[in-house]
Amino acid sequence: MSKKSDIFYFENLKGVANICVNAADFLVGCLKNYDISSIESNLKKMHEYEHSADIKKHEMIESLSKAFITPLEREDLAELSYNLDEVADNIEEVLQRFYMDEPKEITKESVLLAEKISLCCKSLEKMFSELHNFKKPEKLQAAIVEINDLEEDCDKIYLEAYRNVRKESTDVLEVIAWRKIYDYLEKCADACEHVADIVDMIVMKNT
């Protein structure tokens, strides 16, 4: 069980994971109800999520700079904070690609990828809800496996999406635009897996 003074660190990370969940769910909604005329306003809302994650990252780093003793190595907590914030950044970047390229219609693969990213973020939140129990890591390990499996699912969807867009469109610019969007969606899944890998290493170091 964590000491009362340690709770801030675990709650901060869990809070950022929750922001990532909300951002990913918002992205899913934007794609399922895709409307070019709404992209700019949606991007402003998405930026609010990203900014909230930034604030929590800064709170974490400020606390680490002042703390004498931390529940995990301060370098590990800083690395987790930076990389979890990167998940929120990457989700925002997906919507930025839609804003820049303005595809006329949505693809089923982009929605599937966004839904998988949402599930990845929910597994991240589950993982960070258990991080304080890092010395009894069974539930942590289960969440890590979930994220790894979801990232593999994203790899498969990404591969088919890349292939299909060339087969289904004769517009070279559209093909390029969609491949960029798929790259950014895949980057989100990779970022989630990277955070899970860091937690996995932390568990190994501390048990």
Side-chain angles (χ1 to χ4, degrees):
M1 181 63 69
S2 303
K3 295 185 294 185
K4 204 168 185 179
S5 58
D6 295 341
I7 294 298
F8 164 79
Y9 300 101
F10 300 118
E11 288 297 317
N12 177 281
L13 292 167
K14 186 170 72 172
V16 181
N18 178 256
I19 292 168
C20 292
V21 169
N22 292 334
D25 284 347
F26 183 67
L27 177 63
V28 171
C30 290
L31 300 194
K32 283 187 171 180
N33 303 288
Y34 185 67
D35 179 359
I36 291 177
S37 65
S38 300
I39 294 177
E40 188 170 0
S41 61
N42 287 341
L43 193 55
K44 288 177 182 177
K45 175 65 178 175
M46 182 65 83
H47 185 67
E48 292 175 13
Y49 291 122
E50 188 275 335
H51 184 61
S52 297
D54 274 346
I55 289 171
K56 285 199 167 291
K57 178 186 69 178
H58 295 315
E59 289 171 352
M60 170 69 82
I61 301 308
E62 183 179 1
S63 180
L64 288 172
S65 69
K66 296 175 180 176
F68 181 62
I69 297 174
T70 55
L72 298 166
E73 290 182 20
R74 70 182 67 237
E75 293 82 2
D76 289 338
L77 287 166
E79 186 178 14
L80 276 177
S81 183
Y82 279 115
N83 282 278
L84 190 52
D85 178 64
E86 191 72 11
V87 174
D89 290 346
N90 288 344
I91 294 170
E92 181 185 30
E93 286 173 1
V94 172
L95 211 52
Q96 287 172 343
R97 290 307 313 182
F98 277 93
Y99 177 73
M100 287 186 276
D101 293 324
E102 290 192 333
K104 297 181 182 64
E105 295 180 358
I106 211 70
T107 65
K108 64 181 185 298
E109 291 92 349
S110 63
V111 175
L112 281 171
L113 281 167
E115 289 174 335
K116 290 290 183 181
I117 291 161
S118 174
L119 290 174
C120 280
C121 290
K122 288 176 172 67
S123 293
L124 281 178
E125 186 176 29
K126 191 188 306 181
M127 184 177 70
F128 281 106
S129 296
E130 286 295 324
L131 186 59
H132 65 286
N133 285 324
F134 59 88
K135 290 189 182 294
K136 297 179 180 178
E138 292 81 6
K139 290 182 180 178
L140 266 175
Q141 295 289 0
I144 290 166
V145 170
E146 278 182 15
I147 294 164
N148 290 335
D149 288 346
L150 287 164
E151 194 278 334
E152 284 188 18
D153 291 344
C154 287
D155 283 345
K156 293 172 186 173
I157 298 167
Y158 170 78
L159 188 64
E160 288 304 306
Y162 234 68
R163 186 168 181 268
N164 289 342
V165 72
R166 183 182 60 80
K167 291 166 59 179
E168 294 169 2
S169 177
T170 56
D171 185 332
V172 174
L173 291 178
E174 185 179 20
V175 171
I176 293 169
W178 272 112
R179 285 187 167 181
K180 278 285 187 184
I181 290 168
Y182 292 143
D183 286 343
Y184 277 78
L185 284 161
E186 171 66 5
K187 192 177 169 188
C188 291
D190 288 344
C192 290
E193 185 179 46
H194 185 53
V195 173
D197 289 344
I198 295 169
V199 170
D200 204 14
M201 291 299 296
I202 289 171
V203 168
M204 284 194 289
K205 281 170 37 176
N206 289 278
T207 53

